Amino acid sequence: MRYRRFSDCSVSEKMLDTLFILTLSAGYLLAMVLTYTVVGFSVKDIELKYYGNRSGTRLEAALNGPMRVYHNPPEHDEIVKWIYAGSTEKQYIAKIKPIIDEKCVKCHNPKSGLAIPDFSSYEKIKPLAAADTGMSIASLARVSHIHLFGIGLIFYLLGRIFILAEMPVWLKRSLVAVPFLAIALDIGSWWITKYIPVFAYTVLAGGVLMGISFAVQALTSLYQMWFYGPKGAETEKTSTEK
Ligand code: HEC
């Protein structure tokens, strides 16, 4: 039997496919911008997101980093001592709360309108004084299921367009499968990285593979739809998949 190819599509179908692919591409680029600004693309960034920074706390990192300017060295020592002594509530009330109230709460409060942690109570500040163990299972499950549904659907629809292209059968069969392997590699590695940080490399590899397969399928489809069309006898020969 003869399978449908781009040369069998009407112009309106090709327009629909083209606009769909262009819209997806814009979505893909914006997803990249979002990932870059929220996580970053380095292996270290990925490791911090999923595995965390188990040797330090977010509070201490901020005190040594951007929040350095808002307190003085004796206060710094006091807070760091409290973190390492187990960050108890009793000690907090006695020694730390006065510093936080005076130096930090003017920004770190729910009314500030800034997307920063609220320090108006011990319960709120305590998680930042504990070692950062990366993304929680609940967040991982939430982000994973959204991505599996979303990306799975996108590659299914893009793949339905792409299979109308002409190319050797072995190549097409591989290119149709690769994005799904990439999804499994990427998202599977998020979970493993939570426990074994070196898998940040496979997260990156999965993401890169996904991007490449998206580009290959989108560009091949657009090119063949509009600029390529074996005619006559040739069509019979090359467009019949066995
Ligand atoms: C002038 C406003 C302001 C003051 C005062 C301030 N902060 Fe911040 N803080 C910010 C902003 C804005 C951010 C987010 C941007 C950033 O991380 O640089 C932030 C981020 C943080 C974070 C990072 C949270 C995370 O996501 O890891 C911590 C922890 C923190 N501040 C602690 C403190 C402490 C402790 C003090 C008092 C010594 C303090 N801040 C004083 C504005 C302030």
Side-chain angles (χ1 to χ4, degrees):
M1 86 172 258
R2 190 184 173 295
Y3 293 91
R4 278 187 90 225
R5 291 294 173 255
F6 284 124
S7 48
D8 304 313
C9 297
S10 65
V11 171
S12 42
E13 182 176 354
K14 291 200 263 185
M15 279 173 58
L16 179 65
D17 289 351
T18 300
L19 292 170
F20 178 64
I21 290 173
L22 293 179
T23 307
L24 283 188
S25 305
Y28 206 106
L29 286 179
L30 289 177
M32 290 295 101
V33 172
L34 181 71
T35 309
Y36 181 73
T37 50
V38 175
V39 189
F41 283 134
S42 78
V43 165
K44 192 77 213 157
D45 293 330
I46 296 171
E47 193 183 301
L48 270 179
K49 177 171 176 188
Y50 298 106
Y51 182 76
N53 172 14
R54 311 214 173 175
S55 60
T57 67
R58 277 168 67 186
L59 185 57
E60 191 183 356
L63 288 172
N64 291 329
M67 299 300 122
R68 198 171 54 239
V69 293
Y70 300 121
H71 65 309
N72 58 41
E75 291 166 343
H76 183 99
D77 294 346
E78 202 70 67
I79 301 176
V80 171
K81 219 164 73 194
W82 169 72
I83 295 174
Y84 284 97
S87 49
T88 63
E89 181 163 16
K90 190 155 161 267
Q91 281 251 304
Y92 180 75
I93 304 288
K95 299 226 164 105
I96 309 303
K97 193 173 184 306
I99 305 174
I100 301 288
D101 282 351
E102 189 195 334
K103 302 283 171 84
C104 320
V105 169
K106 60 174 178 267
C107 295
H108 289 270
N109 69 71
K111 287 190 222 93
S112 72
L114 299 164
I116 58 177
D118 169 19
F119 289 167
S120 54
S121 72
Y122 171 72
E123 278 67 37
K124 296 274 168 54
I125 198 169
K126 190 171 188 289
L128 292 170
D132 169 12
T133 56
M135 217 191 236
S136 68
I137 297 288
S139 309
L140 262 177
R142 185 172 48 82
V143 185
S144 300
H145 97 269
I146 295 173
H147 278 79
L148 287 170
F149 284 152
I151 306 178
L153 198 61
I154 283 168
F155 275 112
Y156 176 78
L157 292 170
L158 183 63
R160 297 251 25 139
I161 297 175
F162 172 73
I163 54 175
L164 301 179
E166 320 235 7
M167 70 186 63
V169 170
W170 65 266
L171 181 61
K172 193 189 287 180
R173 288 178 184 168
S174 312
L175 289 176
V176 160
V178 166
F180 295 92
L181 290 177
I183 296 172
L185 187 66
D186 193 40
I187 296 183
S189 306
W190 296 353
W191 289 80
I192 306 175
T193 306
K194 173 155 177 64
Y195 302 99
I196 312 171
V198 69
F199 277 82
Y201 286 97
T202 51
V203 172
L204 201 60
V208 169
L209 193 60
M210 209 185 301
I212 293 174
S213 44
F214 183 91
V216 168
Q217 290 198 9
L219 293 173
T220 309
S221 303
L222 290 175
Y223 174 73
Q224 291 210 5
M225 231 183 282
W226 300 106
F227 304 110
Y228 173 89
K231 306 251 151 44
E234 245 218 275
T235 313
E236 280 308 305
K237 201 162 39 149
T238 52
S239 67
T240 310
E241 191 174 345
K242 296 220 181 52

